[in-house]
Amino acid sequence: MPEEVPVMDIYWLIALLVLLLVPLVTVSLVVFFRDFTRQLAYLNSEIERSEGRQRQHWIRRRRRLWLSLLPFIKY
Protein backbone atom coordinates (compact mmCIF):
# COMPACT_ATOMS: atom_id res chain seq x y z
CA MET A 1 0.00 0.00 0.00
CA PRO A 2 1.49 3.42 -0.97
CA GLU A 3 2.37 5.89 1.73
CA GLU A 4 0.18 8.91 2.18
CA VAL A 5 1.79 12.31 1.67
CA PRO A 6 1.51 14.43 4.82
CA VAL A 7 -0.80 17.41 4.45
CA MET A 8 1.95 19.85 5.47
CA ASP A 9 4.11 18.73 2.54
CA ILE A 10 1.30 19.56 0.15
CA TYR A 11 0.91 23.00 1.74
CA TRP A 12 4.65 23.64 1.37
CA LEU A 13 4.54 22.65 -2.30
CA ILE A 14 1.58 24.93 -2.94
CA ALA A 15 3.30 27.81 -1.16
CA LEU A 16 6.47 27.27 -3.20
CA LEU A 17 4.48 27.20 -6.42
CA VAL A 18 2.71 30.45 -5.49
CA LEU A 19 6.00 32.12 -4.58
CA LEU A 20 7.40 31.21 -7.98
CA LEU A 21 4.34 32.18 -10.02
CA VAL A 22 3.47 35.51 -8.40
CA PRO A 23 6.66 37.33 -9.52
CA LEU A 24 6.38 35.90 -13.03
CA VAL A 25 2.79 37.03 -13.41
CA THR A 26 3.61 40.44 -11.94
CA VAL A 27 6.52 41.03 -14.31
CA SER A 28 4.53 39.93 -17.35
CA LEU A 29 1.65 42.27 -16.42
CA VAL A 30 4.02 45.20 -15.92
CA VAL A 31 5.63 44.60 -19.32
CA PHE A 32 2.23 44.26 -21.01
CA PHE A 33 0.83 47.48 -19.53
CA ARG A 34 4.06 49.39 -20.21
CA ASP A 35 3.82 48.44 -23.89
CA PHE A 36 0.10 49.21 -23.91
CA THR A 37 0.68 52.67 -22.44
CA ARG A 38 3.43 53.46 -24.94
CA GLN A 39 1.24 52.39 -27.85
CA LEU A 40 -1.68 54.42 -26.51
CA ALA A 41 0.50 57.52 -26.16
CA TYR A 42 1.72 57.08 -29.73
CA LEU A 43 -1.82 56.73 -31.07
CA ASN A 44 -3.01 59.78 -29.14
CA SER A 45 -0.16 61.87 -30.54
CA GLU A 46 -1.02 60.72 -34.07
CA ILE A 47 -4.68 61.61 -33.49
CA GLU A 48 -3.70 65.10 -32.33
CA ARG A 49 -1.47 65.83 -35.33
CA SER A 50 -3.72 64.42 -38.07
CA GLU A 51 -7.05 65.47 -39.53
CA GLY A 52 -9.79 64.09 -41.73
CA ARG A 53 -9.67 60.48 -42.89
CA GLN A 54 -6.24 59.95 -41.40
CA ARG A 55 -7.52 60.97 -37.97
CA GLN A 56 -10.36 58.46 -38.28
CA HIS A 57 -7.80 55.77 -39.07
CA TRP A 58 -5.85 56.52 -35.88
CA ILE A 59 -9.05 56.65 -33.82
CA ARG A 60 -10.00 53.18 -35.13
CA ARG A 61 -6.54 51.91 -34.25
CA ARG A 62 -6.91 53.31 -30.71
CA ARG A 63 -10.31 51.63 -30.37
CA ARG A 64 -8.78 48.33 -31.49
CA LEU A 65 -5.99 48.78 -28.94
CA TRP A 66 -8.53 49.19 -26.14
CA LEU A 67 -10.50 46.19 -27.39
CA SER A 68 -7.30 44.13 -27.35
CA LEU A 69 -7.54 44.12 -23.55
CA LEU A 70 -10.30 41.56 -24.03
CA PRO A 71 -8.68 38.14 -24.25
CA PHE A 72 -10.40 37.05 -27.49
CA ILE A 73 -9.59 40.13 -29.61
CA LYS A 74 -6.17 40.58 -31.24
CA TYR A 75 -4.63 43.99 -31.87
Side-chain angles (χ1 to χ4, degrees):
M1 187 129 198
E3 286 186 35
E4 290 184 22
V5 178
V7 175
M8 285 306 289
D9 287 348
I10 293 174
Y11 289 148
W12 281 108
L13 288 174
I14 291 173
L16 180 64
L17 183 66
V18 167
L19 286 174
L20 291 175
L21 287 180
V22 167
L24 291 175
V25 169
T26 303
V27 167
S28 63
L29 283 174
V30 166
V31 167
F32 173 78
F33 282 112
R34 184 192 63 196
D35 294 342
F36 179 85
T37 304
R38 285 182 183 171
Q39 185 69 25
L40 184 61
Y42 170 74
L43 291 173
N44 284 334
S45 68
E46 289 295 326
I47 289 170
E48 288 178 16
R49 76 166 187 82
S50 62
E51 11 181 91
R53 293 183 74 203
Q54 197 174 30
R55 174 175 264 175
Q56 292 304 316
H57 167 75
W58 293 113
I59 289 173
R60 279 193 301 271
R61 295 250 334 242
R62 183 178 61 184
R63 188 177 307 127
R64 281 185 20 219
L65 179 67
W66 279 107
L67 285 173
S68 73
L69 291 176
L70 298 173
F72 50 87
I73 296 178
K74 302 268 184 193
Y75 178 68

